Amino acid sequence: MTHKLAKSLVTAMAFILPMSPLQAQEQDSDESENHIAAGVGFLDQYAPFNSATSQANLLPIISIKQGAFYFEVAETGFQFEKETGSIKPSVNLFVAARSPGGRDRQKLSIDAGARFSLESKLGIVSAEVRHDVTEKFNGSEVIARYSYPISTGRFLITPSVQASWLDEKAANYMYGVTTVQRARMIRKGRRTILPVTAILDDALNLGGDISMAMQLNDRLTLIAMAGATALDKSIHKSRAIEQKWEAQSLLGLTYRF
């Protein structure tokens, strides 16, 4: 149960972080960006594997920012930013947990990385690089993302698009099936037993999502997100992969202390 919760937190991390919904409460105030917020969310995931079913989990949501330090769900690090006129550049140095989606693929690892963001009236452009530092797969990922926050009173709506390049080791870790994973499926008597399959090339996944934060009062914020990712042909040609895409959605409520 504990491991399942950890996997849900890690999977939700990449989905929650780009939006920064917990900071929506500060949108029209002069208060410091420092905050501590906590809440709960209902996460629904759909993995691309053969006969995969939707997996739904309740998970805690924690957001902390104190000066340059921040903690968001399963990522922590330091953010350095400086506002120059109408442009705000920022750099994040972070460590973040990673877990592949899909039933019986119970693996966790830690990435270290850096993210550069540029915020202006035209939206937010970011680029990041991250690498496994636990030597579980020793792979890397590079992510480019564009989002455009739209503030309308109590609402903050953020549509985004993203391109993610995974080297062969990272792609295999996220979408390959090992003998250990197959043995776990057999032992648990799963209806569908995935074949042992390795991803033998790098991958470029393209995705998009839309997120919303609604400020209910000074403390409570309702958050909602939905997104999907189109998988590279090097992934969906695998015998273990049935869909050419994967998707997630989240509905949650947070309280700011």
Side-chain angles (χ1 to χ4, degrees):
M1 181 66 180
T2 301
H3 192 90
K4 183 177 180 181
L5 178 58
K7 277 179 61 66
S8 297
L9 280 169
V10 171
T11 305
M13 175 268 297
F15 205 48
I16 294 173
L17 280 177
M19 178 191 163
S20 298
L22 303 178
Q23 298 180 25
Q25 298 170 340
E26 302 162 348
Q27 192 74 11
D28 299 313
S29 71
D30 296 325
E31 298 178 12
S32 166
E33 291 186 356
N34 291 344
H35 67 265
I36 299 176
V40 64
F42 181 81
L43 174 70
D44 188 64
Q45 310 164 241
Y46 189 82
F49 298 95
N50 292 337
S51 301
T53 57
S54 177
Q55 293 179 271
N57 296 289
L58 283 174
L59 68 154
I61 298 172
I62 300 173
S63 174
I64 301 172
K65 190 176 190 317
Q66 298 295 317
F69 171 79
Y70 71 93
F71 177 89
E72 296 281 354
V73 187
E75 176 179 308
T76 187
F78 294 90
Q79 181 180 52
F80 307 95
E81 57 187 13
K82 183 176 182 180
E83 191 163 352
T84 307
S86 60
I87 298 177
K88 184 196 296 186
S90 65
V91 175
N92 289 51
L93 303 177
F94 63 86
V95 292
R98 177 194 290 267
S99 175
R103 202 172 186 182
D104 298 312
R105 305 179 74 246
Q106 299 176 352
K107 298 184 290 185
L108 292 171
S109 59
I110 301 294
D111 292 343
R115 180 184 304 114
F116 175 76
S117 301
L118 191 63
E119 181 178 352
S120 70
K121 293 180 179 180
L122 299 178
I124 304 172
V125 178
S126 67
E128 75 175 67
V129 59
R130 51 199 299 167
H131 182 81
D132 169 45
V133 292
T134 58
E135 297 187 352
K136 286 196 173 182
F137 65 97
N138 202 31
S140 301
E141 182 177 8
V142 178
I143 301 172
R145 184 176 176 87
Y146 171 75
S147 59
Y148 188 80
I150 303 168
S151 179
T152 57
R154 296 164 60 190
F155 291 88
L156 178 64
I157 301 171
T158 309
S160 305
V161 292
Q162 175 174 298
S164 173
W165 176 83
L166 300 92
D167 66 13
E168 179 184 335
K169 293 178 180 179
N172 185 54
Y173 178 78
M174 295 300 292
Y175 300 101
V177 179
T178 67
T179 55
V180 173
Q181 292 161 355
R182 178 178 168 83
R184 186 180 295 116
M185 297 171 198
I186 295 173
R187 184 173 67 252
K188 292 187 176 181
R190 301 302 189 199
R191 180 177 301 178
T192 300
I193 307 298
L194 298 178
V196 175
T197 309
I199 306 299
L200 303 176
D201 202 352
D202 59 0
L204 178 63
N205 295 338
L206 304 176
D209 57 75
I210 185 167
S211 45
M212 181 274 293
M214 182 176 70
Q215 186 175 340
L216 301 178
N217 55 39
D218 292 341
R219 300 287 184 180
L220 292 173
T221 300
L222 179 69
I223 60 175
M225 288 168 262
T229 299
L231 303 177
D232 188 271
K233 62 180 180 180
S234 65
I235 296 172
H236 61 68
K237 70 181 181 181
S238 164
R239 294 182 299 132
I241 300 294
E242 182 176 48
Q243 301 290 345
K244 298 181 180 180
W245 53 274
E246 58 186 355
Q248 297 174 311
S249 61
L250 176 76
L251 180 64
L253 184 67
T254 65
Y255 179 88
R256 179 173 172 170
F257 295 92

